[in-house]
């Protein structure tokens, strides 16, 4: 059987690619069993290249693993990134201020119950108040894990803001962490009232503090009731009057309640402290 004639127009075509030209010269050549199959040279080179890259990669991985295994464990641990969390920012202190007038003349008077409350707190927490700083008798301590500063301004009541303003500015204390303790005519004797903010209520010491804090009233205050003057007694004379022995005994109970309220305020927040304070009964009510 004769091989079919391959059209001349295809037989005479030349192909620039050597590997393809072998298969399209004629049907006989294409079908010939004697034609040895051989992989084109570029493919062999590519295979050798892949093998070469693989060899280099295996050698590189082997050498790097050997170098890592030869390093001491301590050096490897030091090279790892640190996973320790950043320490929290330092806790800003609370400032507890008691208002009053300095000097022996005013000790034990109604207008100085703020001073007496701070003295009772200092004694209970073992905080020394012997330092004079920022125009105040000043002390530092800790309640629980909360740093606290105690102050009794020595500027006289009407200028209390000079001392408080300096302390707040120097230590950058947030106003929500400034507790001011003072006497209040409008509360029954021995009654406590804790509020997160408010006005001065006609109290000259509070008026001075608000002025020095640029008019801000956003700080908590603990008011201690001293009652109204009896009969037609002048208010100024009444607030500068000393407590009787019986009244002083009742105040001791009030101060213990106030100390516990301040502890709750610092450790658990103003809501719990206000609930505790504002629902407490005075010694007179308990009897």
């Amino acid at each position: 059987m004769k091989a079919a004639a391959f059209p001349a127009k295809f037989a005479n075509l030349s192909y620039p690619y050597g590997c393809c030209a072998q298969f399209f010269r004629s049907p006989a050549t294409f079908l010939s069993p004697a034609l040895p199959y051989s992989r084109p040279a570029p493919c062999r080179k590519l295979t050798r290249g892949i093998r070469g890259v693989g060899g280099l990669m295996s050698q590189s991985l082997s050498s790097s693993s050997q170098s890592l295994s030869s390093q001491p464990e301590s050096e490897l641990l030091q090279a790892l990134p640190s996973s320790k969390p950043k320490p929290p920012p330092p806790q800003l202190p609370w400032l507890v201020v008691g208002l009053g007038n300095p000097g022996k003349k005013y000790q034990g008077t109604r207008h100085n119950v703020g001073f007496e409350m701070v003295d009772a707190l200092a004694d209970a927490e073992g905080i020394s108040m012997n330092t004079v700083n920022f125009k105040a008798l000043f002390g530092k301590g800790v309640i629980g894990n909360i740093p606290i500063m105690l102050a009794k301004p020595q500027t006289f009541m009407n200028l209390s803001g000079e001392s408080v303003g300096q302390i707040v500015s120097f230590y950058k204390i947030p106003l929500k962490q400034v507790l001011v303790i003072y006497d209040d005519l409008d509360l029954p004797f021995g009654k406590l009232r804790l509020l997160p903010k408010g006005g001065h209520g006609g109290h000259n010491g509070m008026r001075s503090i608000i002025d020095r804090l640029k008019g801000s009233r956003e700080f908590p205050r603990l008011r201690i009731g001293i009652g109204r003057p009896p009969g037609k007694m002048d208010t100024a004379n009444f607030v500068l009057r000393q407590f009787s022995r019986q009244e002083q005994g009742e105040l001791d109970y009030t101060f213990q309640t106030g100390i516990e309220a301040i502890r709750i305020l610092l450790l658990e927040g103003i809501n719990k402290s206000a609930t505790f304070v504002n629902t407490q009964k005075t010694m007179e009510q308990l009897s």
Side-chain angles (χ1 to χ4, degrees):
M1 179 177 178
K2 293 183 179 180
F6 199 74
K9 62 181 179 180
F10 293 111
N12 294 331
L13 290 175
S14 62
Y15 294 87
Y17 307 99
C19 61
C20 299
Q22 296 181 25
F23 296 100
F24 291 99
R25 286 198 184 100
S26 68
T29 305
F30 181 78
L31 299 173
S32 174
L35 181 65
Y37 175 75
S38 61
R39 190 168 7 178
C43 297
R44 288 197 300 274
K45 290 181 181 179
L46 182 59
T47 304
R48 283 200 301 270
I50 292 173
R51 289 197 189 111
V53 171
L56 289 173
M57 289 177 66
S58 62
Q59 290 177 8
S60 175
L61 290 172
S62 175
S63 62
S64 63
S65 62
Q66 290 176 2
S67 64
L68 285 173
S69 62
S70 64
Q71 290 181 348
E73 185 177 357
S74 60
E75 293 183 9
L76 292 175
L77 290 175
Q78 290 177 0
L80 293 174
S82 175
S83 59
K84 291 182 179 179
K86 292 183 179 179
Q91 173 73 44
L92 293 173
W94 271 80
L95 173 62
V96 178
V97 181
L99 301 188
N101 288 307
K104 291 183 179 181
K105 178 182 177 181
Y106 300 101
Q107 286 182 358
T109 61
R110 298 174 187 273
H111 218 24
N112 273 33
V113 288
F115 274 12
E116 291 195 44
M117 180 76 247
V118 168
D119 287 337
L121 178 63
D123 289 342
E125 298 296 337
I127 300 174
S128 173
M129 295 284 295
N130 294 327
T131 303
V132 178
N133 207 352
F134 305 103
K135 299 182 180 180
L137 283 174
F138 194 72
K140 293 182 180 180
V142 176
I143 294 181
N145 60 343
I146 305 297
I148 182 174
M149 294 184 295
L150 305 181
K152 299 194 308 181
Q154 301 295 292
T155 57
F156 286 93
M157 181 73 77
N158 294 358
L159 299 176
S160 300
E162 293 183 7
S163 173
V164 176
Q166 288 181 20
I167 300 172
V168 170
S169 176
F170 184 83
Y171 289 101
K172 297 180 173 57
I173 304 174
L175 294 189
K176 65 180 181 179
Q177 292 181 203
V178 178
L179 175 66
V180 181
I181 306 172
Y182 61 99
D183 58 294
D184 194 321
L185 287 164
D186 294 327
L187 283 177
F189 177 79
K191 179 69 176 176
L192 294 175
R193 181 75 67 196
L194 178 65
L195 297 173
K197 58 183 179 179
H200 53 73
H203 193 284
N204 289 331
M206 289 296 289
R207 193 195 307 270
S208 175
I209 291 173
I210 291 171
D211 289 344
R212 287 287 177 161
L213 297 179
K214 301 178 180 179
S216 176
R217 304 178 178 190
E218 305 291 320
F219 56 90
R221 64 281 314 278
L222 179 61
R223 292 155 41 195
I224 303 176
I226 60 172
R228 302 296 302 182
K232 297 182 179 180
M233 181 182 289
D234 180 69
T235 301
N237 291 332
F238 177 72
V239 299
L240 296 179
R241 219 171 111 181
Q242 292 190 340
F243 296 107
S244 67
R245 183 175 296 180
Q246 180 182 350
E247 288 174 331
Q248 192 64 55
E250 293 180 18
L251 276 180
D252 290 341
Y253 172 79
T254 299
F255 293 154
Q256 292 304 314
T257 303
I259 290 169
E260 186 60 28
I262 292 170
R263 289 171 178 158
I264 296 172
L265 172 64
L266 270 60
L267 300 175
E268 301 184 59
I270 192 160
N271 290 335
K272 285 191 176 182
S273 183
T275 300
F276 170 77
V277 170
N278 300 337
T279 57
Q280 284 287 320
K281 294 183 178 180
T282 64
M283 191 89 166
E284 185 178 300
Q285 289 172 321
L286 290 174
S287 60

